[in-house]
Amino acid sequence: MNKTRGYAHLIELADPDYVELKAYMHLGFSRNRLSRESMPSHEEVLDFSRKVAQILEYRVADESEASRVVLCQKME
């Protein structure tokens, strides 16, 4: 979660009005590949999302701490 410009570029190509940035969750089959420690905290997801949003001129519109997801919205 340190390549904010790369993520911003991919989002920019699609040019969505909204985008959700989500954390990996240690559930299902993924537990066989990644450890629980691979899950970023909500604060890490929120910090990353704010950085991506700033690059894109989006704003953080909403978030869910329990789901570790942040909704960003294009500012117009």
Side-chain angles (χ1 to χ4, degrees):
M1 293 182 26
N2 56 12
K3 297 183 186 281
T4 54
R5 293 212 176 273
Y7 277 90
H9 176 69
L10 290 174
I11 295 166
E12 192 173 45
L13 291 173
D15 193 31
D17 291 329
Y18 297 91
V19 64
E20 285 185 342
L21 291 95
K22 301 178 180 185
Y24 160 71
M25 299 300 281
H26 190 67
L27 301 167
F29 186 73
S30 71
R31 293 178 297 171
N32 296 329
R33 295 175 295 145
L34 296 169
S35 67
R36 181 172 293 280
E37 289 75 34
S38 298
M39 282 193 324
S41 70
H42 179 68
E43 282 303 316
E44 290 172 309
V45 175
L46 184 57
D47 181 57
F48 180 77
S49 299
R50 286 180 176 146
K51 290 174 183 174
V52 171
Q54 183 177 14
I55 293 167
L56 293 169
E57 297 182 2
Y58 280 42
R59 70 179 188 91
V60 171
D62 205 358
E63 61 182 288
S64 172
E65 186 172 353
S67 299
R68 299 181 191 196
V69 61
V70 177
L71 177 67
C72 295
Q73 177 185 13
K74 185 187 290 187
M75 294 190 297
E76 294 193 41

